[in-house]
Amino acid sequence: MATPAYLNALRAFEASARHGSFSAAAIELNVTAAAVGQQVRNLEAWLGTSLFIRAGRGTGQLELTANAQHALPDIRAAFERLAIGVARLREASAHTGLTITVSPAFASKWLVPRLERFQKLHPSLDVQLDTDARSVDFNIERVDLGVRYGGGQWPGLASEKLMGETLFPVCAPDYPLLRNGKLELDALSKCTLIHDLSMANDPAFPNWRSWLDRAGHAEVSAEHGLRINNSAAVLQAAVERQGLALARSVMVQDDLNAGRLIRPQLDGTTEWPLEQAYYIVFRPDHGELTNVRLFRDWLVGEVVQGDAQDLLITS
């Protein structure tokens, strides 16, 4: 049985094995690479066996020995169980909190307008909302739960689909080129197209060119327009009558319900079901913690309630 003195050494070994280098493990553990290497060497000396095959001097690349490969799953599982126990101890303390990470656009257009309802249900639970646009490391930054947009796979995280969405054009109800709520083809050609660049790194995500082609309007140019790298700002530009935007249904639903934006009538197929979706993501060892489970259940309930309201509005 490993003594407490070797728990840090085992942690250094597990992190080094996962990252394939002492340097990357050092960043996660917030120590120097030399310290990680020394911890691993101490562990090897204590065990009387080598854990890594050093690929070559100066490369920093690590390869597990056969014995280490065999033992690693049990060591990793033990640390996961230990993390659950520590999290439960923290959860039982007088101060309870929940750190949630979401994109700035999702926060402003969907989550924040609804968050007060969660806080009323659980007034003693302190919510910290991280709206950094980058994908944070849940281990390093002590994040409990997040909502991410994509295909559903993120290394080291469990994911549960929250909701899918579709893409369609929207504009202000008093947009000058509208005629009785419709955009004729000649008006469509004159519209300022508002381009959402927030998903530009995903080649599968539709843009104005692909949407126009799918809708049967290949003759309309998509080269011109206003380009913005934030989905919420794209919708705000449309609200302010600056042009026609391609809106994601989840992001735009509140604006449609409030009448700030409308879906103009257009010839052709206007709605595009998206492959991407919103997923609740969390560390696998935190999935059954009370606070995490409360927020997951509340998110799902909000989606179900919203779907029911949308059916009433459209029926």
Side-chain angles (χ1 to χ4, degrees):
M1 178 180 295
T3 65
Y6 282 93
L7 284 177
N8 285 338
L10 285 167
R11 173 66 77 187
F13 161 64
E14 189 280 331
S16 299
R18 181 160 28 88
H19 291 289
S21 79
F22 292 152
S23 297
I27 294 173
E28 176 182 321
L29 299 175
N30 198 29
V31 296
T32 65
V36 172
Q38 186 60 53
Q39 289 274 23
V40 171
R41 285 190 290 274
N42 291 344
L43 183 62
E44 289 175 324
W46 182 63
L47 294 171
T49 186
S50 296
L51 299 173
F52 293 109
I53 302 168
R54 277 66 172 182
R57 294 180 63 83
T59 66
Q61 296 300 309
L62 300 173
E63 180 183 347
L64 287 169
T65 63
N67 285 341
Q69 287 179 349
H70 183 70
L72 182 61
D74 290 327
I75 293 171
R76 186 164 290 157
F79 274 118
E80 289 174 354
R81 296 303 305 172
L82 182 61
I84 291 173
V86 171
R88 290 195 187 282
L89 288 174
R90 291 177 59 203
E91 183 182 43
S93 67
H95 176 79
T96 57
L98 188 67
T99 301
I100 304 159
T101 177
V102 296
S103 72
F106 184 79
S108 65
K109 301 304 292 185
W110 195 89
L111 182 58
V112 170
R114 295 163 172 78
L115 197 54
E116 184 181 4
R117 293 200 281 268
F118 178 80
Q119 293 177 310
K120 285 182 177 179
L121 288 172
H122 307 285
S124 63
L125 182 55
D126 296 328
V127 175
Q128 179 174 324
L129 195 58
D130 184 333
T131 61
D132 200 318
R134 64 187 175 86
S135 293
V136 302
D137 188 308
F138 278 47
N139 291 306
I140 294 175
E141 305 193 35
R142 299 186 181 278
V143 172
D144 297 300
L145 177 142
V147 177
R148 286 187 176 173
Y149 187 72
Q153 299 293 326
W154 291 275
L157 295 176
S159 66
E160 298 173 353
K161 187 174 180 180
L162 179 62
M163 52 185 163
E165 64 180 353
T166 58
L167 190 77
F168 46 78
V170 297
C171 65
D174 56 349
Y175 186 54
L177 294 175
L178 281 175
R179 294 293 179 268
N180 296 320
K182 183 172 183 178
L183 276 176
E184 301 290 350
L185 181 58
D186 61 336
L188 178 61
S189 300
K190 297 174 184 176
C191 285
T192 296
L193 302 181
I194 306 173
H195 299 262
D196 186 345
L197 303 185
S198 64
M199 295 296 294
N201 61 343
D202 185 348
F205 195 85
N207 54 27
W208 267 116
R209 179 67 275 150
S210 55
W211 183 88
L212 287 166
D213 291 344
R214 181 186 178 105
H217 301 303
E219 72 283 0
V220 176
S221 172
E223 300 305 314
H224 62 288
L226 175 62
R227 288 170 168 78
I228 305 176
N229 65 352
N230 180 285
S231 296
V234 166
L235 296 178
Q236 187 58 38
V239 168
E240 295 174 2
R241 305 170 69 210
Q242 295 186 33
L244 189 66
L246 277 180
R248 287 152 51 181
S249 56
V250 170
M251 293 283 188
V252 79
Q253 192 59 57
D254 286 353
D255 288 317
L256 293 175
N257 291 346
R260 292 184 293 267
L261 291 171
I262 65 167
R263 296 180 60 174
Q265 299 176 44
L266 289 159
D267 292 331
T269 303
T270 60
E271 193 161 3
W272 190 323
L274 295 174
E275 298 177 7
Q276 298 84 353
Y278 294 89
Y279 290 83
I280 304 171
V281 294
F282 48 90
R283 288 172 49 180
D285 57 332
H286 280 197
E288 293 308 314
L289 295 182
T290 301
N291 292 347
V292 172
R293 182 164 39 79
L294 285 174
F295 201 78
R296 286 162 61 197
D297 291 346
W298 175 78
L299 283 171
V300 172
E302 284 292 311
V303 172
V304 171
Q305 179 180 334
D307 288 344
Q309 289 176 344
D310 293 342
L311 286 174
L312 288 174
I313 291 171
T314 57
S315 61

